[in-house]
């Protein structure tokens, strides 16, 4: 195999392109890869008869809504205004939406703790039982 400048540059570009995959484990942890965080969160909330696993259904429902919205409305609107939005920018937008949803989940969890009669020990409390 010839080791020339083109090969070295191609390897460098390939490794640089693969660096974006380093964010996927962080996304997976944020998306519920650790456990059923949403079911646990739902069990500590005042649900007024709604099942605990209802919160876990919002992720697929939001995906069903946002993918067509982004694909058929948002990106074409940017293209009509001559704003180039390539593949990496779209992945970055997806990650941005994911971290914003993680922040919203943290705020909801904070409110659960603030309004729970057990405070920050809401998941191990027997007061509501």
């Amino acid at each position: 195999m010839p080791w020339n400048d083109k090969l070295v540059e191609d390897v460098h570009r390939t490794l640089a392109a693969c660096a974006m995959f380093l964010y996927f484990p962080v996304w997976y942890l944020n998306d519920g890869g650790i456990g059923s965080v949403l079911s646990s969160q739902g069990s500590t909330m005042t649900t007024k008869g709604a099942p605990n696993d209802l919160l876990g259904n919002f992720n697929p429902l939001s995906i069903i809504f946002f993918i067509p919205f982004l694909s058929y409305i948002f990106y074409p609107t940017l293209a009509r205004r001559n704003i180039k939005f390539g593949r990496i920018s779209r992945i970055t937008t997806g990650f941005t939406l994911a971290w914003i949803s993680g922040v919203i989940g943290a705020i909801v969890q904070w409110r659960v703790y603030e309004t729970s009669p057990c405070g920050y020990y809401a998941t191990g409390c027997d007061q509501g039982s």
Side-chain angles (χ1 to χ4, degrees):
M1 174 173 256
W3 291 92
N4 55 24
D5 289 342
K6 178 160 178 19
L7 176 70
V8 173
E9 178 63 28
D10 287 345
V11 170
H12 180 265
R13 288 184 62 198
T14 301
L15 291 175
C18 290
M20 73 176 199
F21 293 115
L22 295 174
Y23 295 103
F24 276 87
V26 176
W27 168 79
Y28 184 72
L29 291 174
N30 182 40
D31 196 44
I34 294 175
S36 63
V37 174
L38 293 176
S39 294
S40 177
Q41 189 178 60
S43 68
T44 59
M45 296 171 74
T46 304
T47 59
K48 299 191 189 306
N52 293 349
D53 58 352
L54 183 66
L55 286 177
N57 294 329
F58 285 118
N59 187 20
L61 290 174
S62 64
I63 290 172
I64 289 171
F65 171 76
F66 273 109
I67 288 179
F69 171 77
L70 291 173
S71 295
Y72 297 114
I73 296 172
F74 184 71
Y75 297 137
T77 302
L78 291 177
R80 280 193 296 274
R81 295 176 186 219
N82 292 327
I83 298 172
K84 297 191 188 274
F85 216 73
R87 292 178 185 95
I88 301 298
S89 298
R90 291 179 186 206
I91 292 172
T92 304
T93 301
F95 279 129
T96 302
L97 291 174
W99 74 257
I100 289 171
S101 68
V103 169
I104 292 170
I107 292 170
V108 168
Q109 185 64 46
W110 171 74
R111 287 297 301 156
V112 166
Y113 286 149
E114 290 293 315
T115 58
S116 172
C118 300
Y120 285 88
Y121 302 101
T123 54
C125 180
D126 292 333
Q127 186 171 347
S129 300

